[in-house]
Amino acid sequence: MDVIEVLNAEREAIIEAAAKSLGRSNVPHYAEAGASLSRDRLAELYELLVESVTKRDLRPMIEHSERVARERFAAGFDIREVQIAFNVLEEATWAAVVDAVPPRDLAQAIGMVGTAVGAGRDALARAYVSLASHEHVRSLDLSALFRGVS
């Protein structure tokens, strides 16, 4: 199987594995939202991952991630919470790809998945930091690293 076939064939198993991991990660806002909404959000992100890999176009993933950053920042999510959602989806996807893609094609397959998820994660972080630079956000307060520096 090639990576696109795996992504399509293992869609439900990947989303379910990611949802279970997200549920175990004890992130407050996702726990508050509930398993169903969290799973729906992961499924939406997964569809963008599949689209990015299939079309070799990262723009929808990047635009979605920027929108999610604005929404989650406004809702008071810590950036760590949102990054965890990306991480669990990537981990579940990699597990399925490693199990099904022939070794000779594995580096490219993992590279494609990693590039798509990484582009989304990077866009999310850049947008979040941009928003946070206008407000004090505890998770991004780096002043302790620079005390005593003049």
Side-chain angles (χ1 to χ4, degrees):
M1 270 193 199
D2 73 13
V3 68
I4 295 168
E5 292 170 329
V6 173
L7 294 176
N8 287 318
E10 298 298 323
R11 173 179 274 107
E12 290 306 313
I14 291 169
I15 293 168
E16 187 61 30
K20 284 180 181 178
S21 290
L22 186 60
R24 287 189 304 267
S25 65
N26 298 318
V27 287
H29 286 96
Y30 286 108
E32 185 179 302
S36 180
L37 180 58
S38 295
R39 188 184 190 293
D40 291 347
R41 288 175 175 167
L42 286 167
E44 182 179 9
L45 186 60
Y46 185 77
E47 294 307 323
L48 289 163
L49 165 62
V50 174
E51 179 182 353
S52 294
V53 171
T54 302
K55 295 181 178 179
R56 290 182 162 76
D57 182 359
L58 298 173
R59 287 175 293 186
M61 175 66 85
I62 291 168
E63 291 166 0
H64 171 78
S65 298
E66 291 170 343
R67 181 177 50 78
V68 165
R70 290 188 299 273
E71 291 172 0
R72 302 302 186 273
F73 182 85
F77 281 59
D78 186 284
I79 190 171
R80 180 187 74 82
E81 292 181 87
V82 188
Q83 291 284 359
I84 286 172
F86 278 77
N87 294 346
V88 298
L89 184 65
E90 184 176 37
E91 182 180 330
T93 304
W94 278 27
V97 169
V98 167
D99 285 347
V101 171
R104 69 179 180 279
D105 300 327
L106 197 51
Q108 182 180 14
I110 292 295
M112 292 172 74
V113 169
T115 297
V117 175
R121 195 173 17 238
D122 181 62
L124 176 92
R126 283 183 288 110
Y128 207 98
V129 169
S130 177
L131 292 163
S133 68
H134 301 291
E135 291 186 33
H136 174 77
V137 176
R138 183 181 54 80
S139 64
L140 296 175
D141 182 358
L142 303 177
S143 61
L145 297 174
F146 297 100
R147 287 198 175 106
V149 176
S150 19

